[in-house]
Amino acid sequence: MKNPDHIEHFYFIGIGGIGMSALARYFQAKGAKVCGYDRTPSKLTAELEQEGIVISYADEVETIPQNILEDVENSLVVYTPAVPKDHKQFGYFQQEAFQVVKRSELLGMVTANKYCLAVAGTHGKTTTTAILGHLLKETGAKVTAFLGGISEDIQSNLIMQGDEVVVVEADEFDRSFLRLSPNIAAITSMDADHLDIYGSKEELEKSFNEFAAKIPENGTLFVNNKLSLSGTTLGINDASDYSAKNVKIENGTYVFDLKTPSQTIENLRFNLPGNHNLLNAITALAMAIEYGSPTIDLARALYSFKGVRRRFNYKIKTDKLVLIDDYAHHPTEISAVHQAVRAMYPDKIVLAVFQPHLFSRTRDFAEDFASSLSEFDKVFLMDIYPARETPIEGITSAWLLEQLENDYKRLVSKHDLIDSIRSEYADVVVMMGAGDIGDEVESVQNSLQDEA
């Protein structure tokens, strides 16, 4: 296949996806002509359009730009595994012998000949990657970073400050991360997930072991010390190679010392709540130190990190009301959000609004979902967001709701969401899910702002 650096035209099918849009932005910034298709407009597609990328929302061959149709040899079509088999544009490109690659293939090609830092894990990889990219950028590295979320610091999922080192989120979905060639990597977690792809937790762990084996002998693999993997260990208040010590919370900010194999960096400050985020920060710091970032500048860089959109984002934060937006869509992530909320607001009444993501995930982890959601004082469940799936008989939000051991629980529709939240007393409202619940947050925020 032609070197992507020499391709003139890119067409992304599913350009509104977080990983796809970062690649689209990358090639647009390098001077290529970039366009694409997505099923529905979103905040992210609107941002891409403002940056000059043309997007169509109709799956018709007629909506493909002429410059793509007329230059097969210099055009590359990129797609995600979520594209349905009967997609008309996708079928046309295959039939007409266009160069067609998966997003993960293209990312693998872009990073293949560069010094690569990759973050893998079923939870934590997006925030860790964003922190790492921020640390390298703020300490002067010539870095390109492909993020799995929108960094609040730059309002983008792409950092472009040179190409001596590339930072990438290593996605286990569809085994995509096995196309990467990292020099330094981290594995944050290996909880059972994507069982619609892997079939079992054992198969998922086997894939992570394959990823770990890709690290060269002169490279470094960092691992959460709770994982059954060999590597440089990471932890909090323990004997790990890199460990946070003397951890305190001052006005909602973590203050801690970082013990490394060779030194202790004192009085680091980090603004994201929750032990899971503290561990994400430790992972990013360890990778930056291993890469060679000047430790004298890391404290300032870490303190300035603002977070990632939809990762424990405060939308309202007053003495009367707190509204938090989070991407949590797995029981482990929901429990982590609960732990963070309780640490910050130990005596407050907390309402969780959750939109389950995928019928198969809801079925596979129903008991764990029920357990993690029942930790909150009150729970609203929205309908399951189907994403790439068709409904599974008997698997509904009503079925899941019955399993919650909670006195204050109910189903809510999008239409009734704002009125339902307003009518239910709570000091803290947490909106969680990986579907389109994120599109509802702004409306909820605007409605509640006057009362805050």
Side-chain angles (χ1 to χ4, degrees):
M1 187 198 131
K2 198 170 182 179
N3 185 323
D5 287 339
H6 301 143
I7 297 285
E8 293 180 25
H9 309 290
F10 286 84
Y11 193 81
F12 289 83
I13 303 177
I15 196 168
I18 196 71
M20 292 282 272
S21 57
L23 281 166
R25 281 173 157 150
Y26 173 77
F27 285 105
Q28 171 93 342
K30 289 178 74 68
K33 295 179 177 66
V34 177
C35 49
Y37 159 89
D38 210 274
R39 190 174 53 179
T40 52
S42 65
K43 185 172 183 177
L44 190 42
T45 58
E47 290 169 357
L48 295 178
E49 289 175 310
Q50 286 168 8
E51 293 165 25
I53 294 174
V54 176
I55 301 174
S56 69
Y57 301 96
D59 178 22
E60 302 293 343
V61 174
E62 291 74 25
T63 62
I64 300 169
Q66 208 59 33
N67 59 352
I68 300 283
L69 297 174
E70 292 174 356
D71 196 356
V72 176
E73 192 171 319
N74 292 303
S75 296
L76 182 65
V77 178
V78 190
Y79 72 100
T80 72
V83 173
K85 298 280 193 297
D86 59 353
H87 194 277
K88 293 177 188 172
Q89 291 184 354
F90 183 58
Y92 172 83
F93 286 126
Q94 288 185 309
Q95 180 184 312
E96 296 299 317
F98 278 78
Q99 295 181 86
V100 180
V101 298
K102 279 185 179 180
R103 181 196 69 87
S104 57
E105 290 179 70
L106 181 58
L107 187 60
M109 287 186 278
V110 168
T111 60
N113 299 314
K114 296 182 173 68
Y115 196 90
C116 179
L117 278 63
V119 180
T122 46
H123 322 295
K125 58 183 177 289
T126 295
T127 301
T128 304
T129 306
I131 300 170
L132 177 58
H134 179 78
L135 293 178
L136 294 188
K137 171 176 167 284
E138 291 298 304
T139 55
K142 293 178 179 176
V143 57
T144 294
F146 297 95
L147 312 179
I150 303 297
S151 167
E152 295 285 6
D153 296 274
I154 57 171
Q155 292 301 313
S156 179
N157 51 354
L158 176 69
I159 296 171
M160 283 190 77
Q161 187 174 280
D163 58 3
E164 285 184 7
V165 57
V166 62
V167 171
V168 63
E169 178 169 324
D171 189 4
E172 75 280 1
F173 176 74
D174 201 34
R175 298 176 172 82
S176 294
F177 60 177
L178 298 182
R179 296 185 183 276
L180 298 172
S181 305
N183 301 89
I184 300 172
I187 297 177
T188 63
S189 50
M190 295 192 306
D191 290 319
D193 198 5
H194 302 303
L195 298 187
D196 54 324
I197 301 293
Y198 286 98
S200 68
K201 184 181 181 183
E202 290 71 29
E203 278 299 308
L204 175 78
E205 291 179 350
K206 183 177 166 187
S207 194
F208 274 101
N209 276 285
E210 287 179 49
F211 174 75
K214 293 176 72 67
I215 315 303
E217 280 188 23
N218 62 350
T220 306
L221 175 66
F222 292 96
V223 297
N224 182 325
N225 71 349
K226 293 183 173 61
L227 301 181
S228 56
L229 288 169
S230 297
T232 302
T233 53
L234 308 160
I236 299 172
N237 282 327
D238 57 23
S240 296
D241 299 313
Y242 286 77
S243 180
K245 302 287 190 180
N246 305 317
V247 180
K248 304 186 290 287
I249 296 176
E250 295 180 0
N251 298 320
T253 296
Y254 276 116
V255 182
F256 65 99
D257 302 332
L258 180 67
K259 179 192 76 67
T260 81
S262 61
Q263 63 179 314
T264 296
I265 306 172
E266 296 182 344
N267 207 35
L268 289 164
R269 304 177 76 86
F270 180 60
N271 286 314
L272 299 195
N275 284 339
H276 63 300
N277 278 323
L278 181 56
L279 195 55
N280 293 337
I282 293 161
T283 306
L285 284 165
M287 295 179 77
I289 291 167
E290 180 68 16
Y291 173 67
S293 296
T295 53
I296 195 168
D297 297 327
L298 284 175
R300 172 190 53 79
L302 182 69
Y303 183 60
S304 68
F305 181 70
K306 293 177 183 174
V308 180
R309 187 185 296 172
R310 301 216 64 229
R311 299 319 194 269
F312 212 94
N313 277 154
Y314 285 105
K315 310 306 285 188
I316 298 174
K317 190 179 183 183
T318 71
D319 292 339
K320 288 175 64 179
L321 179 67
V322 174
L323 174 64
I324 296 166
D325 178 26
D326 198 279
Y327 189 70
H329 57 284
H330 184 282
T332 302
E333 295 165 349
I334 293 169
S335 290
V337 169
H338 178 264
Q339 182 271 325
V341 170
R342 290 296 181 213
M344 296 296 137
Y345 307 101
D347 304 316
K348 302 291 188 181
I349 295 174
V350 184
L351 165 64
V353 182
F354 179 58
Q355 181 191 49
H357 185 264
L358 296 179
F359 296 100
S360 61
R361 183 182 282 126
T362 305
R363 175 199 62 200
D364 293 340
F365 302 108
E367 189 176 323
D368 295 329
F369 275 123
S371 176
S372 59
L373 288 167
S374 294
E375 295 178 285
F376 292 89
D377 300 307
K378 302 180 178 184
V379 180
F380 287 171
L381 278 190
M382 298 172 67
D383 285 340
I384 296 171
Y385 185 78
R388 57 186 179 269
E389 293 185 337
T390 55
I392 298 173
E393 188 176 350
I395 307 302
T396 64
S397 288
W399 169 78
L400 178 61
L401 189 77
E402 288 178 7
Q403 301 176 58
L404 267 64
E405 294 178 1
N406 196 303
D407 293 332
Y408 298 92
K409 60 181 182 180
R410 58 187 276 203
L411 297 176
V412 295
S413 65
K414 279 188 200 175
H415 181 265
D416 297 327
L417 183 58
I418 291 173
D419 287 342
S420 297
I421 292 173
R422 291 172 73 103
S423 67
E424 192 71 58
Y425 177 77
D427 301 299
V428 181
V429 179
V430 187
M431 297 179 66
M432 296 180 289
D436 58 6
I437 186 173
D439 299 335
E440 305 299 319
V441 172
E442 190 173 340
S443 299
V444 172
Q445 178 184 354
N446 292 338
S447 174
L448 298 180
Q449 197 87 56
D450 293 341
E451 301 169 20

